[in-house]
Amino acid sequence: MQTTQYLGEIIKELNRTADFIADEEAEKLVNGILEAKKIFVAGAGRSGFMSKSFAMRMMHMGLDAYVVGETITPNLEQDDILIIGSGSGETRSLVSMAEKAKSLGATVALVTIFPESTIGQLADITVKLPGSPKDQSDNGYKTIQPMGSLFEQTLLLFYDAIILRCMEKKGLDSNTMFKRHANLE
């Protein structure tokens, strides 16, 4: 298969993912974000990169958003939300973050393949995304892509859709957000 044919297959897979995401779950996440004082995002590996891009767009909206683990990240408090992107919902470092956030009284949200996971059981808000875990040997969801690629791509696009819904609810447009874009170049 040619590279462009693979691209076409990936796009087809991504097209199918939207049908498997519950609007009610997504709307709970949107409301949790808009009601929070501060927003914290976390993820490991490629899911972490998707979370960082999500935090950047929230900053462009004027929301107080941070990436857990960065040097300028403030303390998490009771009126805050921690959003974790984790295919498995079992990554030890992320489980510890969720436990700590819960102990501080913050809202915990999880975007995952497995809502019944350890983090899913701790979460106040859970959004299930389709995808295949890194170990595809025991999974019913089929993808041509390796490891967790389909989940990670869907996570990025889902986060972008959450941004659009937040923009709609806040009455923002791209021009307003562009004013908060870095201009030091």
Side-chain angles (χ1 to χ4, degrees):
M1 196 179 304
Q2 295 293 320
T3 301
T4 55
Q5 291 172 306
Y6 280 121
L7 177 59
E9 289 302 310
I10 291 168
I11 291 169
K12 286 178 190 173
E13 286 186 356
L14 287 168
N15 253 330
R16 290 189 294 267
T17 63
D19 295 334
F20 293 99
I21 302 169
D23 283 324
E24 318 79 63
E25 293 175 0
E27 197 65 14
K28 283 181 189 174
L29 181 56
V30 168
N31 291 333
I33 289 167
L34 295 177
E35 292 166 5
K37 183 177 176 188
K38 294 187 301 282
I39 303 130
F40 295 82
V41 300
R46 286 170 45 119
S47 296
F49 293 134
M50 306 312 161
S51 296
K52 284 183 176 187
S53 68
F54 185 39
M56 177 186 280
R57 283 291 182 253
M58 287 189 283
M59 178 274 298
H60 290 148
M61 281 196 306
L63 299 175
D64 207 3
Y66 301 94
V67 176
V68 174
E70 296 293 326
T71 55
I72 60 163
T73 302
N75 61 319
L76 181 128
E77 300 171 302
Q78 187 171 356
D79 294 331
D80 299 337
I81 187 170
L82 169 63
I83 303 166
I84 297 172
S86 173
S88 70
E90 298 293 343
T91 305
R92 280 301 327 149
S93 61
L94 300 175
V95 170
S96 295
M97 285 178 205
E99 290 170 341
K100 180 67 173 182
K102 288 298 286 187
S103 75
L104 295 171
T107 299
V108 174
L110 173 66
V111 186
T112 186
I113 299 169
F114 299 107
E116 68 282 357
S117 64
T118 301
I119 300 172
Q121 292 174 29
L122 292 165
D124 303 291
I125 301 167
T126 305
V127 181
K128 180 177 179 163
L129 297 188
S132 186
K134 290 177 203 130
D135 175 10
Q136 296 184 10
S137 62
D138 188 25
N139 182 49
Y141 199 91
K142 298 298 177 207
T143 174
I144 66 164
Q145 300 183 68
M147 301 172 61
S149 291
L150 180 60
F151 170 76
E152 295 146 359
Q153 294 156 359
T154 303
L155 182 63
L156 177 64
L157 296 176
F158 174 73
Y159 281 160
D160 280 347
I162 291 291
I163 293 297
L164 288 169
R165 181 68 173 129
C166 288
M167 286 172 63
E168 177 185 15
K169 289 186 101 169
K170 289 179 66 65
L172 299 174
D173 62 22
S174 186
N175 290 329
T176 306
M177 290 173 59
F178 185 69
K179 293 175 186 171
R180 291 188 188 91
H181 192 277
N183 61 0
L184 298 174
E185 298 163 347

